[in-house]
């Protein structure tokens, strides 16, 4: 039987921050050190992660798609997948991945920032960070992350949402599984997916008072859905709208970005996680099964932020959440601002259906090898664990998603 403490939201088990730095202090999730575990299940995960690291590039399909192997293996493992299920996932995911290709040139300590944002250098970046792991940090991968994530006036930590946030997601699994392979891959992804979004954090002039007044991300999503200035901005839904959005409507994006001021950082982050669930689940009217592939990244990146906040340097935590909010606004507009209706989640069945049903769907259902499906389930469950779920709002959302999902909608 679970202890009484297991029913207490983990944010209620911490000592308040008394330091001067304005930050977000929440307890860390449990770290699963698969590198040193003796049991067969974690050893299996370790071997599969290493196999993926050796055999499969982090970017593929014309360097446009991201290797999700650590994401789905990690999510399934943390949901309780057994050895056979982990092998099944690996075999299914590996079918579409590609082998490493040589980069145009090697990368050195003197020029490593010169190739940021160029996916052709994925192999070179991974080699560079692995060399640093061996030669500079005595195989302590977190030391490599500390050096290269925070270095310089425009550090990588200020641009983890390139490539739909996959560098951030990757880094979250590195910390949660204490995996040096995933950690090195995450740095490689951050380097190759580096893009224009960094300037909104690096340049403080973009942060300024907003004419929009609001207290929560969900309220701002509602206002954004009804902002007629964006009517007809894009003909079709899709991530390809994100860059044109910033070129043509940057002023509107920044109004909404700056409207959320995080005056109460922990509470505000909690509200952002609630909004992230709603934007994925509550935008889907009953009977449509139209769960949007791109909005799911708003939730999975929010989950990654939750994982990483306790591990990120305190002075960068607020900006990490602000990176998420900028990304969330951009994605929501790019998919044509679907209406968020809480009634679409429903009120559940009075608690008859519990998390074991949702977990079974994630591990044994027809979409158990769909990385994004499994990640969404894991993200909602961790949010419930972090903040508590007295009214079973998270549970109802997870049940609705697990039972109703029939594949991703891309438009």
């Amino acid at each position: 039987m679970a202890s009484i403490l297991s029913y207490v939201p983990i944010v209620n088990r911490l000592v308040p921050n008394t330091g001067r730095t304005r930050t977000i202090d929440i307890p860390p999730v449990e770290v699963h050190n698969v590198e040193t575990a003796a049991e067969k299940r974690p050893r299996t995960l370790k071997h599969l992660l290493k196999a993926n690291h050796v055999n499969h590039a982090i970017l593929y399909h014309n360097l446009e798609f991201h290797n999700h192997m650590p994401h789905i293996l990690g999510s399934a493992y943390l949901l309780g997948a057994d050895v056979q299920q982990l092998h099944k996932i690996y075999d299914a995911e590996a079918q579409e991945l590609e082998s490493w290709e040589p980069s145009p040139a090697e990368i050195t300590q003197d020029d490593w920032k010169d190739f940021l944002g160029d996916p052709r250098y994925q192999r070179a970046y991974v080699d560079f960070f692995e060399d640093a792991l061996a030669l500079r940090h005595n195989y302590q991968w977190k030391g490599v992350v500390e050096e290269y994530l925070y270095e310089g006036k425009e550090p990588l930590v200020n641009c983890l949402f390139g490539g739909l946030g996959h560098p951030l997601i990757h880094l979250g699994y590195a910390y949660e599984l204490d995996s040096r392979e995933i950690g090195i891959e995450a740095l490689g992804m951050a380097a190759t997916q580096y893009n224009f979004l960094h300037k909104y954090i690096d340049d403080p002039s973009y942060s300024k008072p907003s004419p929009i007044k609001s207290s929560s991300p969900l309220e701002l999503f509602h206002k954004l859905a009804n902002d007629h200035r964006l009517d007809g901005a894009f003909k079709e839904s899709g991530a390809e709208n994100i860059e044109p959005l910033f070129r043509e409507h940057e002023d509107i994006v920044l109004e909404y970005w700056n409207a959320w001021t995080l005056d109460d950082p922990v509470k505000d982050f909690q509200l952002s996680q609630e909004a992230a669930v709603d934007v994925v689940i509550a935008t889907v009217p009953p009977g449509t099964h139209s769960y949007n592939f791109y909005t799911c990244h708003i939730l999975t990146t929010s989950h990654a932020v939750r994982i990483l906040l306790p591990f990120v340097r305190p002075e960068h935590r607020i900006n990490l959440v602000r990176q998420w909010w900028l990304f969330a606004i951009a994605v929501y507009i790019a998919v044509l601002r679907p209406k968020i209706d809480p009634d679409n989640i429903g009120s559940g069945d009075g608690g008859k259906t519990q998390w074991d049903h949702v977990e079974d769907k994630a591990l044994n259902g027809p979409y158990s090898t769909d990385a994004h499906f499994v990640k969404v389930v894991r993200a909602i469950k961790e949010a419930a664990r972090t903040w508590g779920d007295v009214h079973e709002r998270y549970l109802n959302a997870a049940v609705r998603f697990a039972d109703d999902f029939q594949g991703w909608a891309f438009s």
Side-chain angles (χ1 to χ4, degrees), residues 254-275:
L254 294 183
E255 282 184 16
Y256 283 92
W257 185 49
N258 286 306
W260 189 40
T261 54
L262 283 91
D263 296 323
D264 184 350
V266 173
K267 180 62 178 178
D268 285 334
F269 180 57
Q270 178 183 355
L271 293 175
S272 77
Q273 292 226 277
E274 293 173 2

Side-chain angles (χ1 to χ4, degrees), residues 184-221:
I184 295 300
E185 291 167 7
L187 286 174
M189 270 195 189
T192 56
Q193 303 299 284
Y194 192 84
N195 67 9
F196 69 96
L197 290 174
H198 78 91
K199 68 182 182 182
Y200 297 103
I201 301 296
D202 287 330
D203 185 346
S205 69
Y206 288 104
S207 296
K208 50 195 172 185
S210 171
I212 301 172
K213 303 302 178 186
S214 183
S215 59
S216 73
L218 185 58
E219 184 180 346
L220 287 165
F221 276 136

Side-chain angles (χ1 to χ4, degrees), residues 316-332:
H316 290 284
R317 293 175 189 172
I318 294 289
N319 276 340
L320 185 64
V321 176
R322 295 190 76 224
Q323 283 187 69
W324 171 83
W325 178 229
L326 184 65
F327 173 77
I329 292 168
V331 172
Y332 185 65

Side-chain angles (χ1 to χ4, degrees), residues 17-264:
N17 173 44
T18 57
R20 294 182 177 180
T21 302
R22 184 168 177 264
T23 188
I24 300 176
D25 279 331
I26 59 175
V29 297
E30 180 183 357
V31 173
H32 300 258
N33 192 328
V34 299
E35 189 68 32
T36 59
E39 298 82 7
K40 186 172 183 179
R41 197 173 77 94
R43 288 199 335 263
T44 299
L45 177 60
K46 174 181 69 174
H47 296 324
L48 294 176
L49 291 174
K50 289 180 183 294
N52 176 65
H53 183 74
V54 170
N55 294 316
H56 303 133
I58 55 176
L59 303 172
Y60 67 103
H61 189 77
N62 299 318
L63 304 178
E64 296 172 347
F65 293 176
H66 303 84
N67 184 328
H68 289 74
M69 185 72 83
H71 309 176
I72 185 170
L73 284 175
S75 293
Y77 176 84
L78 295 164
L79 289 171
D82 60 28
V83 170
Q84 183 177 358
Q85 288 167 327
L86 292 172
H87 278 290
K88 176 185 175 183
I89 289 167
Y90 183 92
D91 291 342
E93 190 71 15
Q95 289 181 10
E96 69 172 53
L97 298 176
E98 297 174 2
S99 301
W100 290 100
E101 295 288 342
S103 295
E106 290 190 354
I107 287 173
T108 69
Q109 185 69 22
D110 293 330
D111 66 8
W112 76 272
K113 284 195 171 184
D114 294 349
F115 305 98
L116 292 178
D118 191 336
R120 298 176 304 158
Y121 285 85
Q122 60 166 326
R123 176 76 259 183
Y125 269 116
V126 168
D127 288 342
F128 170 70
F129 292 127
E130 285 193 327
D131 287 348
L133 177 72
L135 302 176
R136 296 164 63 87
H137 292 279
N138 195 29
Y139 289 95
Q140 302 299 310
W141 70 269
K142 292 176 186 175
V144 185
V145 171
E146 282 285 318
E147 177 177 357
Y148 294 102
L149 201 62
Y150 301 110
E151 179 184 282
K153 294 182 179 180
E154 296 184 348
L156 277 184
V157 71
N158 286 346
C159 194
L160 294 176
F161 283 81
L164 285 177
H166 288 105
L168 179 90
I169 296 170
H170 226 78
L171 190 61
Y173 284 102
Y175 275 95
E176 196 165 13
L177 299 173
D178 197 9
S179 167
R180 66 189 183 199
E181 283 78 18
I182 307 178
I184 295 300
E185 291 167 7
L187 286 174
M189 270 195 189
T192 56
Q193 303 299 284
Y194 192 84
N195 67 9
F196 69 96
L197 290 174
H198 78 91
K199 68 182 182 182
Y200 297 103
I201 301 296
D202 287 330
D203 185 346
S205 69
Y206 288 104
S207 296
K208 50 195 172 185
S210 171
I212 301 172
K213 303 302 178 186
S214 183
S215 59
S216 73
L218 185 58
E219 184 180 346
L220 287 165
F221 276 136
H222 287 312
K223 289 186 177 184
L224 192 51
N226 296 303
D227 194 326
H228 297 298
R229 293 176 296 173
L230 290 166
D231 291 352
F234 303 106
K235 293 181 179 179
E236 297 181 356
S237 168
E240 62 275 8
N241 294 333
I242 292 177
E243 287 196 33
L245 170 67
F246 281 91
R247 282 199 309 268
E248 299 165 17
H249 303 286
E250 180 188 69
D251 56 338
I252 299 175
V253 173
L254 294 183
E255 282 184 16
Y256 283 92
W257 185 49
N258 286 306
W260 189 40
T261 54
L262 283 91
D263 296 323
D264 184 350

Side-chain angles (χ1 to χ4, degrees), residues 269-324:
F269 180 57
Q270 178 183 355
L271 293 175
S272 77
Q273 292 226 277
E274 293 173 2
V277 173
D278 282 347
V279 82
V280 176
I281 314 299
T283 52
V284 182
T288 64
H289 314 288
S290 54
Y291 297 93
N292 188 277
F293 176 78
Y294 301 109
T295 59
C296 97
H297 291 79
I298 295 176
L299 175 55
T300 54
T301 53
S302 174
H303 168 73
V305 172
R306 184 272 168 271
I307 300 300
L308 287 169
L309 278 176
F311 300 107
V312 170
R313 291 180 183 176
E315 65 269 24
H316 290 284
R317 293 175 189 172
I318 294 289
N319 276 340
L320 185 64
V321 176
R322 295 190 76 224
Q323 283 187 69
W324 171 83

